[in-house]
Coordinates of all heavy atoms in Angstrom, one line a residue:
M1 N 0.8 -1.2 0.0 CA 0.0 0.0 0.0 C 0.9 1.2 0.0 O 1.9 1.3 0.6 CB -0.9 0.0 1.3 CG -1.8 1.3 1.3 SD -2.2 1.8 2.9 CE -2.3 0.5 3.8
D2 N 0.4 2.2 -0.7 CA 1.2 3.6 -0.8 C 0.6 4.5 0.3 O -0.4 5.0 0.2 CB 1.0 4.0 -2.2 CG 1.7 5.4 -2.4 OD1 2.3 5.9 -1.5 OD2 1.9 5.8 -3.6
I3 N 1.3 4.6 1.4 CA 0.9 5.5 2.5 C 0.7 6.9 2.1 O -0.1 7.6 2.5 CB 1.7 5.3 3.7 CG1 1.2 6.1 4.9 CG2 3.2 5.8 3.5 CD1 0.0 5.5 5.5
D4 N 1.7 7.4 1.2 CA 1.5 8.8 0.7 C 0.2 9.0 -0.1 O -0.4 10.0 0.1 CB 2.8 9.1 -0.2 CG 4.0 9.2 0.6 OD1 4.0 9.6 1.8 OD2 5.1 8.9 0.1
R5 N -0.1 8.0 -0.9 CA -1.3 8.2 -1.7 C -2.5 8.1 -0.7 O -3.5 8.9 -0.9 CB -1.5 7.0 -2.7 CG -2.7 7.1 -3.5 CD -2.7 6.0 -4.6 NE -4.1 5.9 -5.1 CZ -4.6 4.8 -5.4 NH1 -4.1 3.6 -5.1 NH2 -5.9 4.8 -5.9
A6 N -2.4 7.3 0.3 CA -3.6 7.2 1.3 C -3.7 8.5 2.0 O -4.8 8.9 2.4 CB -3.3 6.0 2.3
M7 N -2.6 9.1 2.3 CA -2.7 10.4 3.0 C -3.3 11.5 2.2 O -4.1 12.4 2.7 CB -1.3 10.9 3.4 CG -0.7 10.3 4.6 SD -1.7 10.5 6.1 CE -1.6 12.3 6.2
K8 N -3.0 11.5 0.9 CA -3.4 12.6 0.0 C -4.9 12.4 -0.3 O -5.7 13.4 -0.4 CB -2.6 12.6 -1.3 CG -1.2 13.1 -1.1 CD -0.4 13.1 -2.3 CE 1.0 13.6 -2.0 NZ 2.0 13.1 -3.0
N9 N -5.3 11.1 -0.5 CA -6.7 10.9 -0.9 C -7.1 9.5 -0.3 O -7.1 8.5 -1.0 CB -6.8 10.9 -2.4 CG -8.3 10.8 -2.8 OD1 -9.2 10.7 -2.1 ND2 -8.5 10.9 -4.2
P10 N -7.5 9.6 1.0 CA -7.9 8.3 1.6 C -9.0 7.4 0.9 O -8.9 6.3 0.8 CB -8.4 8.7 2.9 CG -7.8 10.0 3.3 CD -7.6 10.6 1.8
A11 N -9.9 8.1 0.3 CA -10.9 7.4 -0.4 C -10.5 6.8 -1.6 O -11.2 5.8 -2.1 CB -12.1 8.4 -0.7
S12 N -9.4 7.1 -2.2 CA -8.9 6.4 -3.4 C -8.1 5.2 -3.0 O -7.9 4.3 -3.9 CB -8.0 7.3 -4.2 OG -6.6 7.6 -3.5
T13 N -7.7 5.1 -1.8 CA -7.0 3.9 -1.3 C -7.8 2.8 -0.5 O -7.7 1.7 -0.6 CB -5.8 4.3 -0.4 OG1 -5.0 5.4 -1.0 CG2 -4.9 3.1 0.1
F14 N -8.9 3.4 0.2 CA -9.7 2.6 1.0 C -11.2 2.8 0.6 O -11.6 4.0 0.5 CB -9.6 3.0 2.6 CG -8.2 2.7 3.1 CD1 -7.3 3.8 3.1 CD2 -7.8 1.5 3.4 CE1 -6.0 3.5 3.7 CE2 -6.6 1.2 3.9 CZ -5.7 2.2 4.0
A15 N -11.9 1.8 0.3 CA -13.3 1.8 -0.1 C -14.2 2.5 0.9 O -15.1 3.2 0.6 CB -13.8 0.5 -0.5
T16 N -13.9 2.2 2.1 CA -14.7 2.8 3.3 C -13.8 3.1 4.5 O -12.6 2.5 4.6 CB -15.7 1.6 3.8 OG1 -15.0 0.6 4.3 CG2 -16.6 1.2 2.6
P17 N -14.3 3.8 5.4 CA -13.5 4.1 6.6 C -13.3 2.8 7.4 O -12.3 2.7 8.1 CB -14.3 5.1 7.4 CG -15.3 5.7 6.4 CD -15.5 4.7 5.3
E18 N -14.3 1.9 7.3 CA -14.2 0.6 8.0 C -13.0 -0.1 7.5 O -12.3 -0.8 8.2 CB -15.5 -0.1 8.0 CG -16.6 0.6 8.7 CD -17.3 1.8 8.0 OE1 -17.1 1.9 6.8 OE2 -18.1 2.5 8.6
A19 N -12.8 -0.1 6.2 CA -11.7 -0.9 5.5 C -10.4 -0.3 5.9 O -9.4 -1.1 6.3 CB -11.8 -0.8 4.0
L20 N -10.3 1.0 6.1 CA -9.0 1.6 6.6 C -8.9 1.1 8.1 O -7.8 0.7 8.5 CB -9.2 3.2 6.6 CG -8.0 3.9 7.0 CD1 -8.0 5.3 6.5 CD2 -7.7 4.0 8.4
S21 N -10.0 1.2 8.9 CA -9.8 0.8 10.3 C -9.3 -0.6 10.4 O -8.6 -1.1 11.4 CB -11.2 0.9 10.9 OG -11.2 0.4 12.3
E22 N -9.7 -1.5 9.6 CA -9.4 -3.0 9.7 C -8.1 -3.3 9.0 O -7.6 -4.4 9.0 CB -10.6 -3.8 9.0 CG -11.8 -3.7 9.8 CD -13.1 -4.2 9.1 OE1 -12.9 -4.8 8.0 OE2 -14.2 -4.1 9.6
S23 N -7.5 -2.4 8.3 CA -6.3 -2.6 7.6 C -5.2 -3.1 8.6 O -4.9 -2.5 9.6 CB -5.7 -1.4 6.9 OG -4.5 -1.6 6.4
S24 N -4.4 -4.2 8.2 CA -3.4 -4.6 9.0 C -2.0 -4.0 8.5 O -0.9 -4.3 9.1 CB -3.3 -6.2 8.9 OG -3.1 -6.5 7.6
E25 N -2.1 -3.2 7.5 CA -0.9 -2.6 7.0 C -0.5 -1.3 7.6 O 0.7 -0.8 7.4 CB -1.0 -2.4 5.4 CG -1.2 -3.7 4.6 CD -1.4 -3.4 3.1 OE1 -0.4 -2.8 2.6 OE2 -2.4 -3.7 2.6
L26 N -1.4 -0.7 8.4 CA -1.1 0.6 9.0 C -1.1 0.4 10.6 O -1.9 -0.4 11.2 CB -2.3 1.5 8.7 CG -2.5 1.9 7.2 CD1 -3.6 2.8 7.1 CD2 -1.1 2.5 6.7
T27 N -0.3 1.2 11.2 CA -0.3 1.2 12.6 C -1.5 2.0 13.0 O -2.1 2.8 12.2 CB 0.9 1.9 13.2 OG1 1.0 3.3 12.8 CG2 2.2 1.2 12.7
A28 N -1.8 2.0 14.4 CA -2.9 2.8 14.9 C -2.7 4.3 14.6 O -3.6 5.1 14.2 CB -3.2 2.6 16.4
E29 N -1.5 4.8 14.7 CA -1.1 6.2 14.5 C -1.3 6.6 13.0 O -1.8 7.6 12.8 CB 0.3 6.5 15.0 CG 0.5 6.7 16.4 CD -0.3 8.0 17.0 OE1 -0.4 8.9 16.3 OE2 -0.7 7.9 18.1
Q30 N -0.9 5.6 12.2 CA -1.1 5.9 10.7 C -2.5 6.0 10.4 O -2.9 6.8 9.7 CB -0.3 4.9 10.0 CG 1.2 5.0 10.0 CD 1.9 3.8 9.3 OE1 1.4 2.7 9.4 NE2 2.9 4.1 8.6
K31 N -3.3 5.1 11.0 CA -4.8 5.1 10.7 C -5.4 6.4 11.1 O -6.2 7.0 10.4 CB -5.5 3.9 11.4 CG -5.1 2.6 10.9 CD -5.8 1.5 11.6 CE -5.3 0.1 11.1 NZ -6.0 -1.1 11.9
R32 N -4.9 6.8 12.3 CA -5.4 8.1 12.8 C -5.1 9.3 11.9 O -5.9 10.1 11.7 CB -4.8 8.3 14.3 CG -5.4 9.5 15.0 CD -4.7 9.7 16.3 NE -5.3 10.8 17.0 CZ -4.9 12.1 16.8 NH1 -4.0 12.4 15.9 NH2 -5.5 13.1 17.5
T33 N -3.8 9.3 11.5 CA -3.4 10.3 10.6 C -4.2 10.4 9.2 O -4.7 11.4 8.8 CB -1.9 10.3 10.3 OG1 -1.2 10.2 11.5 CG2 -1.4 11.3 9.4
V34 N -4.4 9.2 8.7 CA -5.2 9.1 7.5 C -6.6 9.5 7.6 O -7.3 10.2 6.8 CB -5.0 7.8 6.8 CG1 -6.0 7.5 5.6 CG2 -3.6 7.4 6.4
L35 N -7.3 9.0 8.8 CA -8.6 9.4 9.1 C -8.8 10.9 9.3 O -9.8 11.5 8.9 CB -9.1 8.6 10.4 CG -9.4 7.1 10.0 CD1 -9.5 6.4 11.4 CD2 -10.7 7.1 9.3
L36 N -7.8 11.5 9.9 CA -7.8 12.9 10.1 C -7.8 13.7 8.8 O -8.6 14.7 8.6 CB -6.7 13.5 11.0 CG -6.8 13.1 12.5 CD1 -5.5 13.4 13.2 CD2 -8.0 14.0 13.1
Q37 N -7.1 13.1 7.9 CA -7.0 13.8 6.5 C -8.3 13.6 5.8 O -8.9 14.5 5.3 CB -5.9 13.1 5.7 CG -5.8 13.6 4.2 CD -5.4 15.1 4.0 OE1 -5.0 15.7 5.0 NE2 -5.8 15.6 3.0
W38 N -8.9 12.4 5.9 CA -10.3 12.1 5.3 C -11.3 12.9 5.9 O -12.1 13.6 5.2 CB -10.5 10.6 5.5 CG -11.5 10.0 4.6 CD1 -12.3 10.7 3.7 CD2 -11.6 8.6 4.3 NE1 -13.0 9.7 3.0 CE2 -12.6 8.4 3.4 CE3 -11.0 7.5 4.9 CZ2 -13.1 7.2 2.9 CZ3 -11.4 6.2 4.3 CH2 -12.5 6.1 3.4
K39 N -11.2 13.1 7.2 CA -12.2 13.9 8.0 C -12.1 15.5 7.4 O -13.1 16.0 7.2 CB -12.0 13.9 9.4 CG -12.9 14.7 10.3 CD -12.6 14.7 11.7 CE -13.5 15.5 12.6 NZ -13.2 15.4 14.0
D40 N -10.9 15.9 7.3 CA -10.7 17.3 6.8 C -11.3 17.5 5.4 O -11.9 18.4 5.1 CB -9.2 17.6 6.9 CG -8.9 19.0 6.4 OD1 -9.5 19.9 7.1 OD2 -8.2 19.3 5.5
Q41 N -10.9 16.5 4.5 CA -11.5 16.5 3.2 C -13.1 16.6 3.1 O -13.6 17.3 2.4 CB -10.9 15.4 2.4 CG -9.5 15.6 2.1 CD -8.8 14.4 1.3 OE1 -9.6 13.4 1.0 NE2 -7.5 14.4 1.1
L42 N -13.6 15.7 4.0 CA -15.1 15.6 4.0 C -15.7 17.0 4.6 O -16.8 17.4 4.1 CB -15.5 14.4 4.9 CG -15.3 13.1 4.2 CD1 -15.4 12.0 5.2 CD2 -16.2 12.9 3.0
Q43 N -15.1 17.5 5.5 CA -15.5 18.8 6.1 C -15.4 19.9 5.1 O -16.3 20.8 5.1 CB -14.7 19.2 7.4 CG -15.1 18.2 8.6 CD -14.2 18.6 9.8 OE1 -12.9 18.9 9.7 NE2 -14.7 18.3 10.9
Q44 N -14.4 19.9 4.2 CA -14.3 20.8 3.2 C -15.4 20.6 2.1 O -16.0 21.7 1.7 CB -12.9 20.8 2.5 CG -11.8 21.2 3.4 CD -10.4 21.0 2.7 OE1 -10.3 20.9 1.4 NE2 -9.4 21.1 3.4
L45 N -15.8 19.4 1.8 CA -16.8 19.2 0.9 C -18.1 19.6 1.5 O -19.0 20.2 0.9 CB -17.0 17.7 0.6 CG -16.1 17.1 -0.4 CD1 -16.1 15.6 -0.5 CD2 -16.3 17.6 -1.7
H46 N -18.4 19.4 2.8 CA -19.5 19.8 3.5 C -19.6 21.4 3.5 O -20.7 21.9 3.3 CB -19.5 19.3 5.0 CG -20.8 19.6 5.7 ND1 -21.9 18.9 5.6 CD2 -21.1 20.4 6.7 CE1 -22.8 19.3 6.4 NE2 -22.4 20.2 7.1
A47 N -18.6 22.0 3.8 CA -18.5 23.4 3.8 C -18.9 24.0 2.4 O -19.7 25.0 2.2 CB -17.2 24.0 4.2
A48 N -18.4 23.4 1.4 CA -18.8 23.8 0.0 C -20.2 23.6 -0.3 O -20.8 24.5 -1.0 CB -17.9 23.0 -1.0
D49 N -20.8 22.5 0.2 CA -22.2 22.3 0.0 C -23.0 23.4 0.7 O -24.0 23.9 0.2 CB -22.5 20.9 0.6 CG -24.0 20.6 0.4 OD1 -24.6 20.7 -0.7 OD2 -24.6 20.2 1.4
D50 N -22.6 23.7 2.0 CA -23.3 24.8 2.7 C -23.2 26.1 2.1 O -24.1 26.9 2.2 CB -22.6 24.9 4.2 CG -23.0 23.7 5.1 OD1 -23.9 23.0 4.7 OD2 -22.4 23.6 6.1
E51 N -22.2 26.4 1.3 CA -21.9 27.6 0.5 C -22.7 27.6 -0.8 O -22.6 28.5 -1.5 CB -20.5 27.9 0.3 CG -19.8 28.2 1.7 CD -18.3 28.3 1.6 OE1 -17.8 28.3 0.4 OE2 -17.6 28.4 2.5
G52 N -23.4 26.5 -1.1 CA -24.1 26.4 -2.3 C -23.3 26.1 -3.6 O -23.8 26.2 -4.6
M53 N -22.2 25.6 -3.3 CA -21.2 25.3 -4.5 C -21.6 23.9 -5.0 O -21.2 23.6 -6.1 CB -19.8 25.3 -4.1 CG -19.4 26.7 -3.6 SD -17.7 26.7 -2.8 CE -16.7 26.3 -4.3
Q54 N -22.3 23.1 -4.2 CA -22.7 21.8 -4.6 C -24.2 21.7 -4.5 O -24.7 21.9 -3.3 CB -22.0 20.8 -3.7 CG -21.9 19.4 -4.1 CD -21.1 18.6 -3.1 OE1 -21.1 18.9 -2.0 NE2 -20.5 17.6 -3.6
Q55 N -24.9 21.2 -5.4 CA -26.4 21.3 -5.4 C -26.9 19.9 -5.2 O -28.2 19.8 -5.1 CB -27.0 22.0 -6.6 CG -26.5 23.4 -6.8 CD -27.0 24.2 -5.6 OE1 -28.1 24.1 -5.1 NE2 -26.2 25.1 -5.1
N56 N -26.3 18.8 -5.3 CA -26.8 17.5 -5.2 C -27.0 17.0 -3.7 O -26.0 16.8 -3.0 CB -25.7 16.5 -5.9 CG -26.3 15.2 -6.1 OD1 -27.1 14.7 -5.4 ND2 -25.8 14.5 -7.2
D57 N -28.2 16.9 -3.4 CA -28.6 16.5 -2.0 C -28.1 15.1 -1.7 O -27.7 14.8 -0.6 CB -30.1 16.5 -1.8 CG -30.6 17.9 -1.7 OD1 -29.9 18.8 -1.4 OD2 -31.8 18.1 -1.9
A58 N -28.1 14.2 -2.7 CA -27.7 12.8 -2.4 C -26.1 12.8 -2.1 O -25.7 12.0 -1.2 CB -27.9 11.9 -3.7
V59 N -25.4 13.6 -2.8 CA -23.9 13.7 -2.5 C -23.7 14.3 -1.1 O -22.9 13.8 -0.3 CB -23.3 14.6 -3.5 CG1 -21.8 14.9 -3.1 CG2 -23.2 13.9 -4.9
A60 N -24.5 15.3 -0.8 CA -24.4 15.9 0.6 C -24.7 14.9 1.7 O -24.0 14.8 2.7 CB -25.3 17.2 0.7
S61 N -25.8 14.1 1.5 CA -26.2 13.1 2.4 C -25.1 12.0 2.6 O -24.8 11.7 3.7 CB -27.5 12.5 2.0 OG -27.9 11.4 2.9
T62 N -24.5 11.6 1.4 CA -23.4 10.7 1.5 C -22.2 11.2 2.3 O -21.6 10.5 3.0 CB -23.0 10.3 0.1 OG1 -24.2 9.6 -0.6 CG2 -21.9 9.2 0.1
T63 N -21.9 12.5 2.0 CA -20.8 13.1 2.6 C -21.0 13.2 4.1 O -20.1 12.9 4.9 CB -20.6 14.6 2.1 OG1 -20.3 14.5 0.7 CG2 -19.4 15.2 2.8
D64 N -22.2 13.5 4.6 CA -22.5 13.6 6.0 C -22.4 12.3 6.6 O -21.8 12.1 7.8 CB -23.9 14.2 6.2 CG -24.0 15.6 5.9 OD1 -23.0 16.3 5.9 OD2 -25.1 16.1 5.8
D65 N -22.9 11.2 6.0 CA -22.9 9.8 6.4 C -21.4 9.4 6.7 O -21.0 8.9 7.6 CB -23.6 8.9 5.5 CG -23.5 7.4 6.0 OD1 -23.9 7.1 7.2 OD2 -22.9 6.6 5.1
L66 N -20.7 9.6 5.6 CA -19.2 9.2 5.6 C -18.4 9.9 6.7 O -17.6 9.4 7.4 CB -18.6 9.5 4.2 CG -17.3 8.8 3.8 CD1 -17.3 7.4 4.0 CD2 -16.9 9.2 2.4
L67 N -18.7 11.3 6.8 CA -18.1 12.1 7.8 C -18.4 11.5 9.2 O -17.5 11.4 10.1 CB -18.5 13.5 7.8 CG -17.9 14.5 8.8 CD1 -16.4 14.4 8.7 CD2 -18.5 15.9 8.5
G68 N -19.7 11.1 9.4 CA -20.0 10.5 10.7 C -19.3 9.2 11.0 O -18.8 8.9 12.1
R69 N -19.1 8.4 10.0 CA -18.4 7.2 10.2 C -16.9 7.4 10.3 O -16.4 6.7 11.3 CB -18.7 6.3 8.8 CG -20.0 5.8 8.8 CD -20.5 5.2 7.5 NE -19.6 4.3 6.8 CZ -19.5 4.2 5.6 NH1 -20.4 4.8 4.7 NH2 -18.7 3.4 5.0
V70 N -16.3 8.3 9.6 CA -14.9 8.6 9.9 C -14.7 9.1 11.3 O -13.7 8.7 12.0 CB -14.4 9.6 8.8 CG1 -13.0 10.2 9.2 CG2 -14.3 9.0 7.5
T71 N -15.6 10.0 11.7 CA -15.4 10.6 13.1 C -15.6 9.5 14.2 O -14.9 9.5 15.2 CB -16.5 11.7 13.2 OG1 -16.3 12.7 12.3 CG2 -16.4 12.3 14.6
S72 N -16.5 8.6 13.9 CA -16.7 7.5 14.9 C -15.5 6.6 15.0 O -15.1 6.3 16.1 CB -18.0 6.7 14.5 OG -18.1 5.6 15.3
I73 N -14.9 6.2 13.9 CA -13.8 5.3 13.9 C -12.6 6.1 14.5 O -11.8 5.4 15.3 CB -13.4 4.8 12.5 CG1 -14.6 3.9 12.0 CG2 -12.1 4.1 12.4 CD1 -14.6 3.6 10.6
L74 N -12.5 7.4 14.1 CA -11.3 8.2 14.7 C -11.5 8.3 16.2 O -10.5 8.1 16.9 CB -11.4 9.5 14.1 CG -10.3 10.5 14.4 CD1 -8.9 9.9 14.0 CD2 -10.5 11.8 13.6
S75 N -12.7 8.4 16.8 CA -12.9 8.4 18.2 C -12.5 7.1 18.9 O -11.9 7.1 19.9 CB -14.4 8.8 18.5 OG -14.7 10.0 18.2
R76 N -12.9 6.0 18.2 CA -12.5 4.7 18.7 C -11.0 4.5 18.8 O -10.4 4.0 19.7 CB -13.2 3.7 17.8 CG -13.9 2.6 18.6 CD -14.6 1.5 17.8 NE -14.3 1.4 16.4 CZ -15.2 1.6 15.5 NH1 -16.4 2.1 15.8 NH2 -14.9 1.4 14.2
I77 N -10.3 4.9 17.6 CA -8.8 4.8 17.6 C -8.2 5.7 18.7 O -7.3 5.3 19.3 CB -8.3 5.0 16.2 CG1 -8.7 4.0 15.3 CG2 -6.8 5.3 16.2 CD1 -8.4 4.2 13.8
D78 N -8.7 6.8 18.9 CA -8.2 7.8 19.8 C -8.3 7.2 21.2 O -7.4 7.2 22.1 CB -8.8 9.1 19.8 CG -8.3 10.0 18.7 OD1 -7.3 9.8 18.1 OD2 -9.0 11.0 18.4
A79 N -9.5 6.6 21.5 CA -9.7 5.9 22.8 C -8.7 4.8 23.0 O -8.2 4.6 24.1 CB -11.2 5.5 22.9
D80 N -8.6 4.0 21.9 CA -7.6 2.8 22.1 C -6.2 3.4 22.3 O -5.4 2.7 23.2 CB -7.6 2.0 20.8 CG -8.9 1.2 20.6 OD1 -9.7 1.1 21.7 OD2 -9.2 0.7 19.5
L81 N -5.8 4.4 21.7 CA -4.4 4.9 21.8 C -4.3 5.5 23.2 O -3.2 5.3 23.8 CB -4.1 5.9 20.7 CG -3.9 5.5 19.3 CD1 -3.8 6.6 18.3 CD2 -2.6 4.6 19.3
K82 N -5.3 6.2 23.8 CA -5.2 6.7 25.0 C -5.1 5.5 26.1 O -4.3 5.6 27.0 CB -6.4 7.6 25.3 CG -6.4 8.3 26.6 CD -7.6 9.2 26.8 CE -7.5 9.9 28.2 NZ -8.5 10.8 28.4
R83 N -5.9 4.5 25.9 CA -5.9 3.4 26.8 C -4.5 2.7 26.8 O -4.0 2.4 27.9 CB -7.0 2.4 26.4 CG -7.2 1.4 27.4 CD -8.5 0.5 27.1 NE -8.9 0.3 25.7 CZ -9.9 0.9 25.1 NH1 -10.6 1.8 25.8 NH2 -10.2 0.8 23.9
V84 N -3.9 2.6 25.8 CA -2.6 1.9 25.6 C -1.5 2.8 26.3 O -0.7 2.3 26.9 CB -2.2 1.7 24.1 CG1 -0.7 1.3 24.0 CG2 -3.1 0.6 23.5
S85 N -1.6 4.2 26.0 CA -0.6 5.0 26.6 C -0.7 5.2 28.1 O 0.3 5.4 28.9 CB -0.7 6.4 25.9 OG -1.8 7.1 26.4
T86 N -1.9 5.0 28.6 CA -2.1 5.1 30.1 C -1.8 3.8 30.8 O -1.5 3.7 32.0 CB -3.5 5.7 30.5 OG1 -4.4 4.7 29.9 CG2 -3.7 7.0 30.0
S87 N -1.9 2.7 30.1 CA -1.6 1.4 30.8 C -0.2 0.9 30.6 O 0.2 0.0 31.3 CB -2.5 0.3 30.2 OG -2.3 0.1 28.8
G88 N 0.6 1.6 29.7 CA 1.9 1.2 29.4 C 2.8 1.9 30.1 O 3.7 2.1 30.8

């Protein structure tokens, strides 16, 4: 897997946030970094939609759903990393 490509465009490397989460090729920190990038990109799309630059409701709904899933997985990884750092 090309980590640089995943960082630039997570959706081009992983079909879903869940696929990224389940990847055995990335460390938890790498997953977190890629998810943060994905979240940022989705937030930019959401902002563009709010500004009327995107008129497709289906795309906006998909973006919102994906953003929620990315955020949820990111929270889980953050909790796991915190648990590991406090127990170790």
Side-chain angles (χ1 to χ4, degrees):
M1 178 210 330
D2 184 349
I3 187 70
D4 291 330
R5 180 174 169 223
M7 280 298 302
K8 289 178 185 155
N9 189 356
S12 72
T13 305
F14 299 98
T16 65
E18 294 79 12
L20 186 160
S21 174
E22 295 167 8
S23 172
S24 61
E25 297 180 59
L26 298 175
T27 66
E29 280 295 335
Q30 288 172 320
K31 289 176 186 180
R32 182 179 185 281
T33 302
V34 174
L35 283 165
L36 285 170
Q37 175 65 20
W38 204 340
K39 181 179 176 182
D40 184 58
Q41 290 175 0
L42 290 168
Q43 287 173 328
Q44 289 177 20
L45 282 174
H46 187 74
D49 182 50
D50 286 348
E51 294 170 8
M53 296 169 71
Q54 193 176 33
Q55 298 299 321
N56 188 332
D57 287 342
V59 171
S61 176
T62 300
T63 300
D64 287 344
D65 175 62
L66 198 53
L67 181 57
R69 290 164 46 206
V70 166
T71 302
S72 175
I73 292 168
L74 190 53
S75 295
R76 228 177 13 246
I77 288 173
D78 282 344
D80 289 345
L81 286 171
K82 184 176 181 181
R83 192 171 28 257
V84 167
S85 70
T86 58
S87 67

